[in-house]
Amino acid sequence: MSTPGAHSTLHLTRRLRRLRRSEAIRAMVRETRLAPDMFVLPLFVCGGEGVRREVRSMPGVFQLSVDEAVRETEAARRDGIRSVLLFGLPDQKDDIGSAACDPEAPVQSAVRAIKREAPEVLVATDVCLCEYTDHGHCGILVDGEIANDPTVEQLVRAAVSHAASGADIVAPSDMMDGRVGAIRQALDERGFEQTAIMSYAAKYCSAFYGPFRDAAESAPKFGDRRSHQMDPANAREALREVAQDVEEGADIVMVKPALPYLDVIARVKDAFGCPTAAYHVSGEYSMLKAAARNGWIDEPRAMLECLTAIRRAGADIIITYYAREAARALA
Ligand code: PBG
């Protein structure tokens, strides 16, 4: 009787395991790589000074005053992160989200401060009204419904004020119809033709935004976002959303959330081939954090596996609260 393993008994021409035998050979044939310069770090900017308040449902994520947002950006830069995405927590909210367009509000002030202290860092700003309205909806309400066109006018004002503060990229996340074209036109008319638009093109109505709404204090006071955010069941509709935003002048299109919508990321990338971002959202982050805190998963491995999957699906850009940790893990 022959000893098992002494020599092969099967004749196999192809043995896929040959290319998995060592780290060197695995690295040689690896199809997907991550690099810190594809990560965007979201930051929540509030008023005051020296404020660094951890978000209860997002360990490691903080509400930051402008000075602290600058420090966080500089620290992220040292980790290899080259871009940030700013969200604002205004001091005052009203029914039309006026603070969204205030040149002295946290986001606009943070853009100027970051551009002054760390000019090489790319600054993107989220454009939406939900953080600024007292009712928490993404737009202006008329008879209890979000009125598309008046909302777009207000979003245009917000985007222009971000560009005027020096934002490199404005990122409308509201899902109103026609906002990309309206923002593009307004930016161009005011001499901001170099300001890019990253549109949240296929943004789904997702339960995974829960922790973000703690962080941004933007939960709707009544109702939900189903009248404008996409039905999770639809993928062909995502292609129509993306087509429209590309047509209207979006430079980068985004799919959001990321992991539950990898098929959508892949289809968008295949169909359009334009720079495609994926937002690894708050709930995706907090689930990993929670499991890791319970000792139920190996967090660094799970983090890199998730980010690799998003990249493998076709994302060029990954917006993630893990940006700094992932950059350090890759160093
Ligand atoms: C604003 C906005 C949201 C997110 C990004 N921009 C919340 C929402 O639509 O309710 C979610 C990001 C995250 O969950 O990390 N409209």
Side-chain angles (χ1 to χ4, degrees), residues 8-315:
S8 60
T9 50
L10 288 173
H11 182 78
L12 283 180
T13 312
R14 274 181 290 172
R15 288 182 183 270
L16 293 172
R17 290 184 58 198
R18 278 197 284 263
L19 300 184
R20 297 178 200 144
R21 284 187 68 217
S22 67
E23 180 47 29
I25 205 155
R26 288 191 293 271
M28 181 183 260
V29 299
R30 187 159 291 140
E31 298 174 30
T32 307
R33 283 173 208 280
L34 294 170
D37 49 17
M38 62 185 67
F39 299 144
V40 179
L41 176 67
L43 297 177
F44 298 98
V45 191
C46 61
E49 235 190 277
V51 180
R52 191 176 167 83
R53 206 180 302 125
E54 192 165 33
V55 178
R56 194 183 44 83
S57 54
M58 299 181 75
V61 174
F62 298 82
Q63 295 177 343
L64 304 165
S65 52
V66 171
D67 55 324
E68 289 290 327
V70 171
R71 286 181 52 185
E72 182 72 15
T73 302
E74 288 171 333
R77 182 76 199 91
R78 289 192 291 277
D79 290 334
I81 299 302
R82 308 177 72 159
S83 46
V84 292
L85 172 61
L86 305 184
F87 294 90
L89 290 102
D91 295 330
Q92 303 278 344
K93 302 193 189 210
D94 62 19
D95 60 340
I96 59 165
S98 308
C101 331
D102 177 355
E104 302 308 322
V107 164
Q108 289 83 344
S109 307
V111 173
R112 288 191 298 271
I114 293 169
K115 280 291 160 190
R116 191 170 58 235
E117 305 299 328
E120 75 288 2
V121 174
L122 203 65
V123 180
T125 56
D126 186 85
V127 178
C128 192
L129 301 183
C130 62
E131 297 127 61
Y132 300 95
T133 51
D134 48 18
H135 44 69
H137 281 291
C138 302
I140 294 174
L141 298 178
V142 176
D143 299 330
E145 283 195 35
I146 300 175
N148 195 86
D149 301 10
T151 299
V152 169
E153 284 176 33
Q154 187 74 322
L155 293 166
V156 164
R157 284 184 213 109
V160 166
S161 79
H162 296 175
S165 303
D168 300 290
I169 301 176
V170 293
S173 68
D174 52 284
M175 289 296 280
M176 295 301 116
D177 288 322
R179 88 281 207 217
V180 172
I183 290 172
R184 185 69 273 157
Q185 188 186 343
L187 291 175
D188 290 354
E189 282 167 6
R190 288 162 182 81
F192 299 121
E193 56 283 306
Q194 298 303 332
T195 309
I197 299 178
M198 171 164 71
S199 79
Y200 288 66
K203 176 174 178 178
Y204 287 87
C205 189
S206 173
F208 293 102
Y209 306 152
F212 171 95
R213 293 178 189 169
D214 283 346
E217 299 173 5
S218 65
K221 295 276 183 296
F222 58 90
D224 54 42
R225 307 219 198 284
R226 277 179 242 214
S227 81
H228 52 295
Q229 298 181 348
M230 283 182 58
D231 183 336
N234 295 355
R236 288 191 298 270
E237 186 189 359
L239 300 181
R240 303 220 311 275
E241 279 285 1
V242 171
Q244 183 165 326
D245 285 6
V246 169
E247 182 90 352
E248 290 181 27
D251 300 283
I252 300 169
V253 292
M254 192 201 297
V255 175
K256 175 188 172 188
L259 283 179
Y261 300 91
L262 293 182
D263 58 324
V264 178
I265 297 173
R267 285 170 76 169
V268 165
K269 187 61 177 298
D270 280 352
F272 299 93
C274 54
T276 305
Y279 201 140
H280 183 240
V281 302
S282 57
E284 301 179 73
Y285 171 85
S286 296
M287 283 196 300
L288 291 181
K289 283 283 169 198
R293 294 206 156 190
N294 278 295
W296 293 341
I297 52 163
D298 175 338
E299 187 180 17
R301 282 189 59 202
M303 164 185 78
L304 290 177
E305 185 175 335
C306 289
L307 298 174
T308 300
I310 296 165
R311 174 78 176 160
R312 192 190 63 231

